[in-house]
C-alpha cells in the first residue's frame, strides 16, 4: 500500500507539530518505506508512484525525513546529484533538470540540501546569490519580469536566510510591500489590492516574521516554514532566535 505523500503528507505532519503533537501515533516505519518506493532512479521523488517527479516532492521527502529523524528512506547521494544538476544557467534552481529557475523550487532545492547538510555541493553559489538578490525590488518576484508577490518574501527570503545572505535584502522595502498586500478583510493577497487567500496570508506573515521588525510575530524555522516553538519547543525557539538565521552547513 502506498501511503499518502507529497504536499499533503508533509503538511499534515507540519499541522500536527503546530498543534503540539509529538508524532508518537504516526506509523513512522510505514512512511519511510513509502519514501523508498517514491524515489526515482534519477534521484527525485514522485507524489505517488504513477505521477511526475519534481523538486516540490524532493523537499517534502526531506522534511518528512527530518521530522521523523530517519533518513533511511532517501538515497541521499542521488537526491543531491539531482538537485545540483537542476541549477539553471542564471543561478536559480528549476522544478526539474533543464527547467528555468523559480523562487519556489529554488527554496525547495536549497532547503532540501540544508536539511541533508549538502548545500556546499551546489556548483554556482555566487550565481544563486546573485539570482536571489536580483529577484527583489520592493517585494520579491518568483521569476524575472514577473510582478512582486507577497509569498516570495518567504520562498526567496527563506532561501537567503538559509544561505546566510539575508542581510542583502531590502528589509524595509519588503515589509512595506507585504503590508500593502494586506486587505481590509485582514488577510494578504499576492499583490496589493487583490482578494486575500490563506496561502499568501500564511507566507506573507512568515516573510514578515523573518524581517524581525514586528515583535509580536514568532520567529520561524526557514527549513520547515513553521515557528521555532512549533518545531521544537520554547528552548529551541530562544536558542535559534538569538542567531537570527539558520546557517547553511
Amino acid at each position: 500500500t502506498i501511503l499518502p505523500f507529497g504536499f499533503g503528507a508533509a503538511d499534515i505532519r507540519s499541522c500536527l507539530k503546530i498543534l503540539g503533537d509529538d508524532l508518537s501515533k504516526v506509523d513512522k516505519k510505514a512512511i519511510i518505506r513509502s519514501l523508498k518506493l517514491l524515489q526515482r532512479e534519477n534521484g527525485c521523488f514522485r507524489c505517488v508512484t504513477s505521477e511526475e517527479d519534481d523538486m516540490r516532492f524532493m523537499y517534502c521527502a526531506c522534511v518528512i525525513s527530518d521530522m521523523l529523524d530517519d533518513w533511511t528512506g532517501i538515497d541521499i547521494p542521488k537526491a543531491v546529484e539531482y538537485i545540483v544538476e537542476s541549477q539553471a544557467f542564471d543561478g536559480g534552481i528549476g522544478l526539474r533538470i533543464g527547467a528555468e529557475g523559480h523562487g519556489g523550487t529554488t527554496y525547495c532545492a536549497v532547503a532540501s540540501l540544508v536539511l541533508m547538510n549538502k548545500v556546499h555541493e551546489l556548483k554556482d553559489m555566487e550565481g544563486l546569490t546573485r539570482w536571489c538578490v536580483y529577484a527583489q525590488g520592493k517585494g520579491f518576484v518568483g521569476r524575472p519580469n514577473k510582478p512582486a508577490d507577497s509569498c516570495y518574501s518567504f520562498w526567496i527570503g527563506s532561501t537567503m536566510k538559509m544561505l546566510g545572505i539575508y542581510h542583502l535584502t531590502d528589509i524595509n522595502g519588503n515589509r512595506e510591500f507585504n503590508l500593502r498586500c494586506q486587505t481590509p478583510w485582514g488577510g494578504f493577497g499576492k499583490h496589493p489590492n487583490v482578494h486575500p487567500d490563506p496561502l499568501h496570508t500564511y507566507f506573507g506573515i512568515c516573510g514578515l516574521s523573518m524581517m524581525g521588525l514586528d515583535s509580536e510575530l514568532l520567529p520561524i524555522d526557514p527549513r520547515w516554514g513553521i515557528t521555532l516553538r512549533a518545531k521544537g519547543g520554547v528552548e529551541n525557539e530562544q536558542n535559534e532566535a538569538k542567531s537570527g538565521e539558520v546557517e547553511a552547513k
Side-chain angles (χ1 to χ4, degrees):
T1 300
I2 303 300
L3 296 178
F5 184 51
F7 283 125
D11 286 348
I12 288 169
R13 289 166 187 83
S14 292
C15 289
L16 289 172
K17 292 292 289 184
I18 290 170
L19 293 171
D21 190 86
D22 62 1
L23 305 184
S24 61
K25 297 181 180 180
V26 173
D27 190 344
K28 299 178 182 180
K29 292 182 179 179
I31 292 171
I32 297 302
R33 285 199 303 271
S34 75
L35 293 184
K36 293 180 179 180
L37 295 173
L38 293 166
Q39 188 172 20
R40 298 190 62 197
E41 284 297 317
N42 64 8
C44 197
F45 281 83
R46 291 171 169 169
C47 180
V48 294
T49 54
S50 61
E51 296 295 329
E52 64 183 356
D53 59 272
D54 64 53
M55 203 65 69
R56 298 170 299 173
F57 309 125
M58 174 78 77
Y59 170 69
C60 290
C62 290
V63 171
I64 289 169
S65 299
D66 197 48
M67 284 185 177
L68 301 183
D69 195 25
D70 187 341
W71 287 85
T72 60
I74 296 181
D75 184 330
I76 291 179
K78 280 188 175 181
V80 172
E81 181 180 2
Y82 184 89
I83 296 172
V84 169
E85 293 302 317
S86 296
Q87 188 169 20
F89 73 94
D90 59 359
I93 303 174
L95 192 65
R96 54 181 60 88
I97 295 173
E100 67 172 322
H102 183 279
T105 53
T106 295
Y107 167 82
C108 289
V110 171
S112 297
L113 290 174
V114 170
L115 290 168
M116 292 186 285
N117 296 325
K118 299 293 185 179
V119 74
H120 60 277
E121 296 198 20
L122 278 172
K123 296 178 180 179
D124 188 6
M125 190 66 71
E126 181 179 346
L128 176 57
T129 298
R130 182 175 59 250
W131 188 88
C132 289
V133 170
Y134 284 177
Q136 62 180 325
K138 286 295 184 181
F140 282 101
V141 300
R143 290 179 290 167
N145 300 314
K146 293 289 185 178
D149 184 325
S150 59
C151 71
Y152 292 107
S153 66
F154 172 78
W155 298 122
I156 300 180
S158 287
T159 298
M160 297 179 75
K161 181 75 77 168
M162 289 184 287
L163 296 175
I165 57 172
Y166 196 74
H167 61 283
L168 299 178
T169 64
D170 177 2
I171 292 177
N172 291 319
N174 291 335
R175 181 176 184 272
E176 178 187 347
F177 175 81
N178 271 23
L179 292 178
R180 286 198 294 116
C181 293
Q182 191 172 15
T183 73
W185 301 279
F188 289 71
K190 65 187 301 181
H191 312 303
N193 304 315
V194 301
H195 288 292
D197 63 79
L199 185 149
H200 288 90
T201 299
Y202 182 83
F203 289 118
I205 291 173
C206 285
L208 288 171
S209 171
M210 284 191 296
M211 296 172 200
L213 301 178
D214 298 279
S215 59
E216 67 273 17
L217 297 178
L218 296 176
I220 68 166
D221 186 325
R223 297 164 293 188
W224 285 19
I226 62 177
T227 65
L228 295 174
R229 184 179 67 182
K231 179 178 183 288
V234 175
E235 182 178 355
N236 184 42
E237 176 182 337
Q238 292 172 340
N239 290 339
E240 295 205 38
K242 289 179 182 177
S243 66
E245 64 185 28
V246 178
E247 295 183 359
K249 297 178 182 179

